[in-house]
Amino acid sequence: MTDEQRLQQMIDELRRMRERCEPKSHQNPRYLRYSNAVSALRWLIDDLARESA
């Protein structure tokens, strides 16, 4: 399994966890933190993809 695949699995799990938050709004601090974590992992995947290209 590549690092990109492992990070994608983390993103999928964080999204599942985020979906259990109520309210589903960026006004909810925990929902927002999950969203920020997903964004950060996406940036890491993009960085790794650029480095391997």
Side-chain angles (χ1 to χ4, degrees), residues 5-48:
Q5 291 169 327
R6 291 175 62 211
L7 290 169
Q8 184 60 52
Q9 284 183 338
M10 290 179 205
I11 288 171
D12 295 341
E13 181 63 22
L14 284 170
R15 285 180 174 154
R16 282 190 290 274
M17 294 168 74
R18 182 182 65 185
E19 284 303 308
R20 293 191 296 260
C21 288
E22 290 295 335
K24 290 178 176 56
S25 163
H26 286 265
Q27 302 300 318
N28 178 341
R30 185 175 302 150
Y31 186 90
L32 179 59
R33 288 183 191 107
Y34 280 130
S35 295
N36 289 340
V38 167
S39 294
L41 291 173
R42 289 289 323 144
W43 291 327
L44 284 169
I45 289 172
D46 291 345
D47 289 345
L48 290 170

